[in-house]
Amino acid sequence: ATHSATNLRFEAQLRAEIGSEVEDVPDAISLLVYTGGEVPQDRHTELRATQATDGIWSVMLNEVELYFLIHGAHGGDGYNGTSGSAHRRSLASSGSATAAAAAVELHVAVKCGPDPRRFQLLASVSPSRIDAALTHAEVCPGQIVYFHAAHLADVRFTAIVHKGDGALLARHVASSSDIPLKLQPPYVPIGEGGAHGGGGHRRALASGGYDDPTVDLCHLHDGEEAYLAVFGGDHCMELEVKVESIAHADCHEQHGGGEHAGSETGAGVIDPGHFVYGSCDALSWVDYSLLLDASDSDYNFLIEVTDLSNGRSTSDDALSLHLFDGAEIPMDRFTEQRAERAVDGIYSVAINLHNFHEGASYFGIRCGAAARRFRVVVHRMDAIVPPDGGKHHGEVCPGVWVYHFYDVPATASGGGGVTFHVEKHEGDVDLVTRHGQAPVKLVPPFKYMGADEYEGSISLCNIKPGERLYLGMLGGDHCASYEVFATPLNASTPCEEPLHTPLAHAGRSDSATLSAGHFEQAECTAPFQYLDYIFQLDEATHSATNLRFEAQLRAEIGSEVEDVPDAISLLVYTGGEVPQDRHTELRATQATDGIWSVMLNEVELYFLIHGAHGGDGYNGTSGSAHRRSLASSGSATAAAAAVELHVAVKCGPDPRRFQLLASVSPSRIDAALTHAEVCPGQIVYFHAAHLADVRFTAIVHKGDGALLARHVASSSDIPLKLQPPYVPIGEGGAHGGGGHRRALASGGYDDPTVDLCHLHDGEEAYLAVFGGDHCMELEVKVESIAHADCHEQHGGGEHAGSETGAGVIDPGHFVYGSCDALSWVDYSLLLDASDSDYNFLIEVTDLSNGRSTSDDALSLHLFDGAEIPMDRFTEQRAERAVDGIYSVAINLHNFHEGASYFGIRCGAAARRFRVVVHRMDAIVPPDGGKHHGEVCPGVWVYHFYDVPATASGGGGVTFHVEKHEGDVDLVTRHGQAPVKLVPPFKYMGADEYEGSISLCNIKPGERLYLGMLGGDHCASYEVFATPLNASTPCEEPLHTPLAHAGRSDSATLSAGHFEQAECTAPFQYLDYIFQLD
C-alpha cells in the first residue's frame, strides 16, 4: 500500500558539534541494508555503502527492487519472473491487488569505524508514478531511480537539477521486460559538460540546458507507459522531475546513437529484468544460476556485468565473467564461454539456442587482484521475429552470438524471400544469415554494420514454406543495441543474398605406440606441435609396479645438448583419450636436471587399472573398503581393466630433437637390487612381505631425496607424505639434522639404510622414496636381519625440506591439480554413515616451485552443507600454509552424509598442487590398540572412547599420545566433544614426544572425548587408551566456566524523520528496523 510504486532511499551523514564543521572522512562509518527479514550473523550484505560520496552514505531500493521485495521474484502480475508467461505480462497491473504482496521488514545498520562519530540517518520515499507536479529525487553514483506516467500520447519529462551529475533516459514501456536497466543511447547526460556535450555519431538531442533538461516520448500506444530512468553519475544529484502532455507537433523523441555519459550503469538479476548487486574478495568467485524452462528456448539471454567499485573509472580486467556448460559448475571451472575483459565497461556472455538447456544455467564472476563490487543484469530478448513486421529489441556485445529467426508460414508460396531489418542505436555488429540452421562462424553470407551505420538489412531468398530462416548477430568491437524486424518478399520482388564461401575441414593424425624400456626418438618440426603416443597399461604387467615417463633433448653429433628447461613439455592423459583442450594435471612443463618426468607410482597405477571403487586393495569411498587388507591388492577378484594411456610431447617455438622413454620398476622387491629414479615432487614405493625384521638399503648414484619406511597392515597405512621418522639423502647427507631429531639407523650418502622391526602377521614392510630438489637415481634392496641388529627409527625428525604429501578425494591416493591466477578448483568427498566414526584431514601442498614457495600462494576452503555457496564464504579455511601445508578437517561437528565440497584458490599466480585426504579412526579401542592421527594448526581432530556398559563406575580412562613431530593441545570432555580451547586441557610442545590426559569418575556406557587442536606446527601421532579401575589414582585437569554474551534490540526507523545517534565504541553496530509494505 505504501511502497509498491515508490523509490526508497536510505542515507547517513556525519553531524558536527555546534560551531564546528563536519569532517570529511569518507570511511568514517558504513551504511548497511538487509532485506532477508533479519540481520545475518556475519552481517554481510550487498546493499551497503562503505564510502561516502559528497559526504553522503546512500543505499537505494528503486521501484523495481521494491516490487520484488514486496511481491517476491516469482509472484504478482508485474515485473519479470522466471516462468515463461511472466516475462511478457503488462506493467499496468504491477500495483494491482492480485499480486501476492507481503509486508517486509528491512533491517538497517550503521557500522561505526574506529573513532567516535555523531551521525544522522534518514529514510526517504519518492513516488515513481508522477504527473505535472514536481517530484523531488536524489540519486548517487551507481543508483537508478524510475518515474513513469500512463494514458498519455505525447509526453515531455522535465528535470530541474539543483546539483550533481547523471543522465536521463526515456523509453516506451509496454511490458516489464522493456524497463531500462542500463544506460544506453539515446539519453540526455547532465553535468560534466552539460546535456549538449557529445561527439562521434550522436544525433541531435531534444533537451534544454543544465537548469531544466527535457526529454520527449512521442506517439505512445495503448498499454504503453512513458518511463524515465534517472542514472547517478560521479556525484550525488538532487533534482525535481515532472511529466506533462504536449502537442504531437512539439514532440521530438531522441533516436539513433549517442556517446555514453561516462558510465555503464546497467544492472539486472538472475530473474531477468531486475537488479542483483554482488561483491567478491580479491582472487575469489561469486556464482549465480539462471533457471530456464522449455518456454525460454525461443529467447536469447544476454548476461552483463558492470564493475561498481570505482564509479565510472575502473580497469577493464578487474573482473571476468564465466558461463559454464551443462547443468553444474565443473571442478576445474574451465569454460570457453567467458569474458575476461570489459568492452565499453561491460563483461558479457550469452545463452542462445546453441547452449540453451532447461533447468539451471550457472555463471561465475571472478575478482582480479582487488576486491570489487558489481551489478549483474540478465536481458531476455525475443529470438522469434514475427511476420507482421513487429519490432523486437536486442543487444549484443563483442564476440557474443545472439540469434533471431523467422518461420516462413506453411501456407506461403515458395520462391519469395525475407529481409531482416536492423535499426541500430550504437556499437557495431555482423549480420549472418542461414537457411534452416543457425550460423556458428563468421563466414559468408554476412554483412557488417559499422559504428556509424544505424539502419541495415540482409535478405534470404528462394525460401520454402515452413522453413526457418536465421539471423545471427555477432558482436563487433563495441556493444550494440538495436531493434530487429522482418519484411516478407513475394516471388516477383527482387531479392539478393550475399555470396557464400565453402569451409575447409581439418583432420588429425594417429598416435604412435610407446613401449616400456625402448627410446622413441623424434623431432619437433613445427612450432607448438604435438607428438602423440599410446602406452598400454594392463593388470598382469603393471599392477605392482612404478611407471615413469621421461623426455630429454638430443643434440646433433659432435655438439652438446642445450639447457632450455621449457623447450618442450611432457603430458600424460589417463582418461582413454586426449581431450580437445589437451589439459592434464599429469604434466612436466619444466625440466629438472635436463629431464621432463611424469611418475605414476604403485598406488596411482592400482587406481587406474582397478578404478577408485573397485578391487580389494586401495581405499575406496565406501566404509568397508578403507580397512581392506593390502595383501589382496593384486588379486584376481579386483575388477581390473586394460587402460590406454596417451602420452604427448608438446613442442615449443623452436625446432627440437628429443627422446622419450617409459620405464617400469617393480614395487615388490627382495635382496636383489632394483633400479629406480625419482624427480622433485614424485614418490616411488617398494615393499616386501613375510619378513619379521627387515632392512632397506639404497645405493644412491646422484641427486637427493628421502627414505621413509612404515609398517603397513592396510592400504590406509601407506605413507602419502614425508613426515618423521625418515632418512634424508643428499643436501647434507642422511645424518644431517638438529632440533629434536633422534638418532637414525642409517649409513652415509653411498648406501643409507632404514630398518623396520617386529612386523606382525599381515603387515608388509613399505619403503617410500621421495624426490628432493634434484632427480635422484638409486638402487634399492630389502633383506631379513636378526632382531638384535634391527634399529627402527622413532620420535621426531626435521623435514628434509619438502612437504611432499599427496592424496585424492577417495582417501589414500593422489590427486594433482592446478589453478590459474585468481581462480578456483573444487573437489567433493563422498561420505556415508560408516564414515561418521572417522576424522578426515584434507591437506594441500604447492608443487609449483619445488620445495620453495610462498605460504599464501594458495588457500583451502571447506564449505558447509551439501553444496558450494554462491558467495563461497566459509569459516573453515586455511589461507596460509604451515610447514608447507594448507589443511582443514572434517570431524564429528561438520560431518554429513553425501558430498562434502572443498575448494582450492590460487593467489596472484598460477599454481600446481597436490591434495591428500587422510582418513583417521576416531574410535579408540579398549584393548590398547593404537591409531595413527595427524592434525595441523587451528584444526580440530577428535577421538573417543566408549566405556563398556558392563564396566563398574568410578574408575577412569587415560588417553596416551605418542607424538612424532609438531605441537598439539589435548582437550578432554565427558559426553560431548570439545569445541573451544578451555580447561581441562594439556599442551604438548614440539619437544614432547609422549603425553597423557585422563578423565575420571566415568560411568558405564559413557562416551569420553579427546579433542586434538593443532598448535603452531602440524603434528603426527599415535593415540591409545588405558582404562583405570576405581582403586587406581586418577586426576583430571581443572575446569573453568565460560561466559555468555547477549545482544541488544533494534530501534524503529520511519520515512521522512531523521534518526540521530552516536558511535560510542569502535566498530559498534547501531541497528534499525524499517517496515516495508
Side-chain angles (χ1 to χ4, degrees), residues 304-389:
E304 295 184 343
V305 174
T306 304
D307 184 0
L308 299 181
S309 300
N310 298 317
R312 295 181 172 182
S313 176
T314 185
S315 166
D316 62 0
D317 60 354
L319 298 167
S320 60
L321 172 62
H322 304 248
L323 175 62
F324 301 109
D325 297 319
E328 60 182 18
I329 298 175
M331 288 177 66
D332 62 2
R333 289 189 164 264
F334 180 78
T335 176
E336 295 293 351
Q337 302 173 86
R338 60 187 188 269
E340 295 178 319
R341 190 168 290 277
V343 178
D344 303 328
I346 296 173
Y347 305 81
S348 66
V349 292
I351 297 175
N352 53 42
L353 57 86
H354 289 301
N355 59 352
F356 172 85
H357 64 84
E358 293 184 46
S361 291
Y362 292 92
F363 61 93
I365 298 165
R366 190 183 72 181
C367 259
R372 292 288 173 183
R373 297 184 67 196
F374 56 81
R375 278 197 309 232
V376 190
V377 59
V378 179
H379 297 284
R380 186 178 190 262
M381 301 168 290
D382 268 299
I384 300 171
V385 180
D388 61 1

Side-chain angles (χ1 to χ4, degrees), residues 63 67 75-81 84-96 98-99 129 148 150-151 173-179 221-225 227:
E63 180 191 39
Y67 185 90
D77 294 321
Y79 300 95
N80 296 348
S85 61
H87 289 290
R88 293 258 155 219
R89 290 175 175 163
S90 169
L91 190 74
S93 62
S94 64
S96 71
T98 59
R129 193 173 294 278
H148 52 100
H151 312 301
V173 171
S175 70
S176 53
S177 61
D178 299 326
I179 295 174
H221 297 290
D222 288 343
E224 286 187 337
E225 289 200 30
Y227 250 77

Side-chain angles (χ1 to χ4, degrees), residues 24 93 151 196 268 359 418 479 531 552 735 767 843 891 922 961:
D24 182 17
S93 62
H151 312 301
H196 295 288
V418 166
C479 294
L531 290 97
Q552 291 178 279
H735 295 289
L767 179 71
E843 295 184 342
N891 52 43
V961 176

